[in-house]
Amino acid sequence: MLLQDQTLLQMNLVDSHAHIYSEKFDADRAQTLERAQAEGVHKIYMPNIDHTSIEAMLEAEEKYPGQCIPMMGLHPTSVNKDFERELYLVEEWLGKRAFAAVGECGIDLYWDKSFLPQQQEALKVQIGLAKKHQLPLVLHTRDSFRETYEILAAAQDGSLKGIFHCFSGTLEEAEKVKELGFLMGIGGVATFKNGGLDKVLPHLQPGDLVLETDCPYLAPVPHRGKRNEPVYLPLVARRVAELMDKPLEEIAEKTTANALTLFKL
């Protein structure tokens, strides 16, 4: 077993953010999901990227019902001058079937800042869709916490909820997330030596968090640099428990409950 810990074997863990439909899993997706099940990771929520990822994502849902659960949204790195076409497709899909969330959406200023106005507009539209369909938001905020937060705070009327995915910010930013009524998605960065979450998580509570892998990216230590997968989620849970000085069982139970409460599907 990945972790010799009977607590996790008895728990149902939720991977709140995983690109399990990625082509990087085409050769062994079934085996990857079997490994996850064996480690107690029984539900995997899949964020959409853009029109190119929808077919593969829904195929994973069809093949692994109840285990692989889709969201619908437009990733900020897929926002360009023609982003309206993508958003029309997102809106169409949200209108014709159920999804767990609107996402992943947000702002990314790490790769390219030239489409910031379009990213801001795309985020505002998707916030509106979340309100319309009464769905949570799953937010991508790479190098853009302030920009994303300002838009979200202006739109928060008490109806918005969701996750700041791959949270790796400061304690001040964590408090802002909590004030908005949102959760923080904690993944492999928590295990990184210089990830910074060792200065933040001790000041938070399990009720503030959900767990995620963001696979195939950001594999936790000792697998950093390799393909990430849901079977590694217990490593994240263990590190969060250490940093919070909480029992592993409490972290597993509370983060799972947080995710299942947020995602009604």
Side-chain angles (χ1 to χ4, degrees):
M1 301 302 294
L2 181 69
L3 286 177
Q4 299 299 321
D5 192 307
Q6 293 301 312
T7 298
L8 281 172
L9 299 183
Q10 298 164 6
M11 299 303 303
N12 292 330
L13 293 173
V14 170
D15 189 342
S16 65
H17 197 109
H19 302 270
I20 196 65
Y21 56 80
S22 165
E23 62 182 13
K24 294 185 183 296
F25 295 105
D26 285 353
D28 65 343
R29 186 170 292 105
Q31 295 88 341
T32 298
L33 292 170
E34 288 173 4
R35 287 193 292 271
Q37 288 268 25
E39 288 295 333
V41 184
H42 298 299
K43 285 192 180 296
I44 298 167
Y45 288 87
M46 304 180 294
N48 189 51
I49 300 299
D50 55 32
H51 76 278
T52 66
S53 55
I54 295 174
E55 182 178 357
M57 180 179 69
L58 296 183
E59 183 178 339
E61 177 197 32
E62 183 179 1
K63 285 187 176 180
Y64 310 101
Q67 186 179 13
C68 296
I69 304 167
M71 312 175 197
M72 178 52 59
L74 177 61
H75 194 288
T77 60
S78 292
V79 172
N80 53 41
K81 61 183 180 180
D82 297 321
F83 74 98
E84 291 95 342
R85 295 181 183 180
E86 291 279 359
L87 287 180
Y88 287 141
L89 188 58
V90 168
E91 186 172 12
E92 181 182 352
W93 273 106
L94 286 170
K96 66 184 180 182
R97 57 148 292 169
F99 289 92
V102 174
E104 89 188 76
C105 57
I107 297 175
D108 187 305
L109 300 179
Y110 178 80
W111 295 107
D112 186 357
K113 297 180 175 64
S114 59
F115 290 110
L116 175 58
Q118 291 88 345
Q119 289 190 38
Q120 291 169 319
E121 181 60 27
L123 175 56
K124 291 175 183 177
V125 169
Q126 290 179 91
I127 288 173
L129 290 172
K131 288 183 176 182
K132 177 181 178 180
H133 295 282
Q134 298 182 315
L135 290 172
L137 285 159
V138 173
L139 297 165
H140 176 108
T141 62
R142 191 171 189 187
D143 285 4
S144 64
F145 180 89
R146 179 181 59 82
E147 291 83 355
T148 306
Y149 172 82
E150 288 175 354
I151 291 174
L152 193 62
Q156 179 60 287
D157 57 4
S159 67
L160 292 173
K161 57 185 178 179
I163 300 168
F164 277 69
H165 144 66
C166 196
F167 182 82
S168 57
T170 65
L171 181 57
E172 180 183 3
E173 290 171 343
E175 293 298 335
K176 288 183 176 181
V177 172
K178 291 171 59 178
E179 288 170 6
L180 283 177
F182 275 61
L183 298 166
M184 285 159 269
I186 305 299
V189 173
T191 70
F192 296 173
K193 183 177 180 180
N194 297 314
L197 287 175
D198 57 322
K199 299 176 178 63
V200 177
L201 288 175
H203 303 283
L204 302 179
Q205 295 298 320
D208 302 325
L209 313 176
V210 290
L211 303 181
E212 62 173 60
T213 59
D214 197 21
C215 70
Y217 317 108
L218 294 174
V221 174
H223 306 284
R224 189 174 183 181
K226 300 177 182 178
R227 186 189 73 171
N228 198 6
E229 56 181 89
V231 73
Y232 298 148
L233 193 65
L235 294 171
V236 177
R238 182 172 66 179
R239 181 57 175 159
V240 170
E242 291 172 353
L243 291 174
M244 287 189 148
D245 193 24
K246 301 283 187 183
L248 186 56
E249 182 178 12
E250 180 181 348
I251 298 300
E253 285 184 354
K254 189 59 181 175
T255 57
T256 292
N258 292 344
L260 296 179
T261 299
L262 181 69
F263 296 125
K264 295 179 182 179
L265 274 185

